[in-house]
């Protein structure tokens, strides 16, 4: 599976961005796609994830501000980020994993989100 992420950039505090991640290749139907982020000097952390059935999970720090969604027909996952804060600044990585095979996973190339005035 290959993942192509897009949509990062520079935004002012309080602004919005939408990230997209398109998957291609041998995609197993039962999968989880998600977004992780890594800020300088910090560990990579889960931001949000969504199963192929539509169940979602969010980090406490983004609940109420970020929304994850997916279009299964396009094998694409989206992350709508609203009310952005400087602490949201990080490289955001898209992730795919097969729920039945832990060795079947992939990472996107990362897209930088910078929240600054």
């Amino acid at each position: 599976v290959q993942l192509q992420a897009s949509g990062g950039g520079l935004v002012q505090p309080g602004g919005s961005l939408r990230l997209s991640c398109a998957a291609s290749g041998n995609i197993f139907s039962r999968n989880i796609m998600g977004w992780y982020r890594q800020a300088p000097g910090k560990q990579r952390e889960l931001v949000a994830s969504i199963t192929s059935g539509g169940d979602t999970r969010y980090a406490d720090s983004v609940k109420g501000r970020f929304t994850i969604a997916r279009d299964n027909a396009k094998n694409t996952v989206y992350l709508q980020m609203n009310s952005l804060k400087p602490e949201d600044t990080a490289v955001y990585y898209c992730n795919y994993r097969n729920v039945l095979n832990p060795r079947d996973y992939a990472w996107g190339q990362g897209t930088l989100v910078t929240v600054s005035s």
Side-chain angles (χ1 to χ4, degrees):
V1 174
Q2 295 78 43
L3 302 175
Q4 182 66 47
S6 61
L10 173 64
V11 63
Q12 292 187 342
S16 298
L17 279 177
R18 189 176 84 151
L19 306 182
S20 299
C21 176
S24 61
N26 190 18
I27 300 165
F28 186 65
S29 58
R30 291 183 62 191
N31 63 73
I32 299 175
M33 294 189 72
W35 290 94
Y36 290 71
R37 66 186 180 188
Q38 187 166 19
K42 294 189 176 181
Q43 290 188 331
R44 191 174 296 189
E45 62 175 359
L46 174 69
V47 176
S49 64
I50 184 167
T51 70
S52 45
D55 294 328
T56 59
R57 177 184 174 189
Y58 294 92
D60 288 343
S61 59
V62 307
K63 283 181 181 176
R65 300 188 298 122
F66 291 10
T67 302
I68 191 168
R70 64 189 290 164
D71 183 335
N72 288 334
K74 296 181 178 179
N75 292 319
T76 300
V77 63
Y78 306 95
L79 185 68
Q80 178 66 44
M81 304 184 293
N82 298 329
S83 302
L84 283 160
K85 304 175 181 180
E87 51 264 42
D88 294 317
T89 296
V91 178
Y92 284 69
Y93 296 91
C94 179
N95 174 263
Y96 154 92
R97 59 189 176 95
N98 178 331
V99 298
L100 297 182
N101 181 359
R103 292 176 295 179
D104 181 12
Y105 67 94
W107 289 98
Q109 81 280 16
T111 185
L112 178 63
V113 172
T114 303
V115 185
S116 175
S117 55

